[in-house]
Every structure is written in structure tokens, then in C-alpha cells.
Amino acid sequence: MSFFDVAYEGSPPWDIGRPQGAIVRLADSGEIQGSVLDVGCGTGEHALELGARGHEVLGIDLAPRAIELARTKARQRGLEAGFLIADALRVDELGRTFDTAIDVGMFHTLTDEERPVYARALRGALRPGGRAFLLCWSERNPWGYGPRRVTQMELLGTFQDGWTVDAIEESELETRLEGGSVHAWLARLTRD
């Protein structure tokens, strides 16, 4: 079992039981459009929120337990969203393209070597002009707990080929940790 499968046997700190406020605000503002790929969807809260808003959504995660929980939530809530066990580094092999992609808390789990592979795969999963919204831990968080910290320069370096970085903004990731949230970056990207 992977770390993430074990984490989803309980309540991991990143699974807050509702969509992140940053994603809700993007949806409310109309920035999330058309078909949506939720990369690293976990238990599906973002995919289900966007499905309830009328988007065709596919959530993918490498953790079978997370996908099982997401499918159960979809059935219980009577919502339309597809969920698939799949590797974020191979989303360009899903056999379809999307208008929008969201990544909430997945990017900061990648190694230096995986980051350019992910950027290429994500680019291949989006139609030309498609948008990606990436929410990840920032280096502004204190050390001692949590995942790898990410700098704006690392985001810019990862998404330089085939992408336009429209903005990288200070944001927050809501968690079950003490204090309720951590510093994050919200990157707004457009596929060239």
C-alpha cells in the first residue's frame, strides 16, 4: 500500500470534506470552463462541486482508496463525475482533452525529475488555450511538518515550455491542521 492509500484509511489533513475556497472562487468567477480534469482528486470534493455546477468532470488519483471514496460520494449525492485510478504523469494518455485542469495539492508531491514530465503530460491533456489552476504549498510555511515547499520560481521554471503563466498569487490551502490553513500559491496557467 502506498502512503496515500494508508492516509485515506483515515482522515488525512488535506481532506477537509468540502472543496477548497480558492476553487469555489474560481468557479464562481467563471474561470473554470467546459470539461474539467481534476488531477490528484483525492476523495472527489472538487470534481463533485464542479459536476454539480454542470461541468463534465473526470477526477484522477493514483490511490485506489481515494477513488473508491470519491465514487461512493458521487453515488450518495446523486452527482455526475467520473473517477479513474490514473497517474498524473501520464494524463496525456487518457485519450481525451479537457478545457480546464485543476490540481489541488498534488504538484508539491512531485520530485524535481517528475515536474517537467507532469508539465508536458498536463499540457497534452488540455486543448490549445485550455487553462490549468494549480494550488500548492508555498515556501512561506514554516518547516517541520507537511509536504515539500514550492517557490514561485519553481513554478515558473516548470511551466515555461508550452505554457503561459498568467499569474501566481498568494492563497491558502485549507487543512485539518491546527490553524486551519497553510500558505499556498495559486498558479493560473494557459496552454499555448
Side-chain angles (χ1 to χ4, degrees), residues 26-120:
L26 287 169
D28 286 347
S29 71
E31 291 186 73
I32 295 177
Q33 297 182 0
S35 59
V36 179
L37 174 63
D38 183 356
V39 184
C41 68
T43 64
E45 289 297 338
H46 302 102
L48 293 170
E49 170 71 18
L50 297 173
R53 291 173 179 249
H55 295 279
E56 179 188 344
V57 184
L58 176 64
I60 65 135
D61 204 290
L62 205 52
R65 178 67 179 146
I67 294 297
E68 177 187 329
L69 292 167
R71 289 175 177 159
T72 298
K73 285 181 184 180
R75 278 192 306 276
Q76 290 172 342
R77 297 177 191 179
L79 294 172
E80 291 293 321
F83 294 101
L84 185 65
I85 299 167
D87 186 345
L89 302 179
R90 300 177 72 178
V91 293
D92 55 335
E93 299 173 12
L94 292 172
R96 59 182 287 203
T97 56
F98 299 84
D99 300 304
T100 305
I102 61 170
D103 169 345
V104 177
M106 201 286 302
F107 181 79
H108 58 237
T109 70
L110 299 175
T111 65
D112 289 343
E113 296 75 26
E114 291 170 330
R115 287 176 174 181
V117 174
Y118 175 61
R120 281 191 301 274

Side-chain angles (χ1 to χ4, degrees), residues 6 13 17 19 23-24 27 57 72 78 87 106 113 119 123 143 153 180 188:
V6 172
I23 299 300
V24 172
V57 184
T72 298
D87 186 345
M106 201 286 302
E113 296 75 26
R123 184 179 184 279
W143 290 96
M153 291 306 294
R188 298 167 189 257

